[in-house]
Amino acid sequence: MKLSARSRYAARLLLDLAMHEADKPIRTALLSENTGITVQFIEQIIRPLKKAGLIKSVRGAAGGHILDKDPAHITLGEIVRTMEGAINIANCLECETKCERSQACRTRSVWERASRAMEQELDSITLAELLESPEDCPNMD
């Protein structure tokens, strides 16, 4: 499984918002400058993040985007699920009907365990932790 740019950029965007004052919205243009993500891509990423309650947008001259949840309560797992859906390393895990062999598949349980392990690891890492130790993830790409 390879994470999409949407998930990686969403994490980068949320981390940038977390690094700034919680009471001051950040404009999309400044987010773009800070993260290296185009304004157009940021606008695409923001929609699902708002719907998930991770960020909110403020209108007006001093408007922009701001975290709507404490960084200590936002995990990488939540970000990935928001942007990608379920965390599965194999397509056959998404729907029983996709593979006619799913009932008798000897490897399916291995892919399930690996997917859950990945999900648990991503759920164990919060934005707050990433703020405390940025050297662990210099580029988040």
Side-chain angles (χ1 to χ4, degrees), residues 72-84:
H73 297 110
I74 300 174
T75 68
L76 288 180
E78 182 177 15
I79 297 166
V80 171
R81 281 187 298 276
T82 297
M83 303 309 292
E84 311 272 347

Side-chain angles (χ1 to χ4, degrees), residues 88-135:
N88 291 316
I89 65 168
N91 290 340
C92 65
L93 299 176
E94 293 177 17
C95 180
E96 292 288 333
T97 59
K98 280 195 173 188
C99 179
E100 60 192 40
R101 298 179 188 156
S102 63
Q103 296 300 326
C105 181
R106 293 177 186 258
T107 57
R108 189 170 199 271
S109 64
V110 174
W111 308 143
E112 286 175 333
R113 287 195 327 257
S115 294
R116 295 303 69 86
M118 180 186 295
E119 187 171 30
Q120 288 173 348
E121 182 63 24
L122 291 173
D123 282 339
S124 75
I125 304 166
T126 67
L127 288 183
E129 290 170 324
L130 292 175
L131 287 173
E132 292 170 10
S133 60
E135 67 278 354

Side-chain angles (χ1 to χ4, degrees), residues 3-81:
L3 290 178
S4 72
R6 288 172 49 93
S7 289
R8 295 188 328 270
Y9 289 2
R12 189 187 306 173
L13 182 94
L14 290 167
L15 192 56
D16 190 69
L17 288 172
M19 287 190 290
H20 295 87
E21 292 181 44
D23 60 343
K24 283 188 165 181
I26 300 173
R27 294 180 152 306
T28 304
L30 183 56
L31 282 171
S32 177
E33 189 177 306
N34 292 347
T35 62
I37 305 168
T38 67
V39 169
Q40 294 81 6
F41 205 17
I42 288 174
E43 289 170 354
Q44 290 176 21
I45 293 169
I46 283 176
R47 284 184 207 109
L49 295 175
K50 283 173 52 175
K51 187 175 179 181
L54 298 176
I55 65 170
K56 64 181 174 182
S57 298
V58 179
R59 293 182 161 206
H65 308 287
I66 190 168
L67 284 182
D68 198 23
K69 197 171 175 182
D70 186 322
H73 297 110
I74 300 174
T75 68
L76 288 180
E78 182 177 15
I79 297 166
V80 171
R81 281 187 298 276

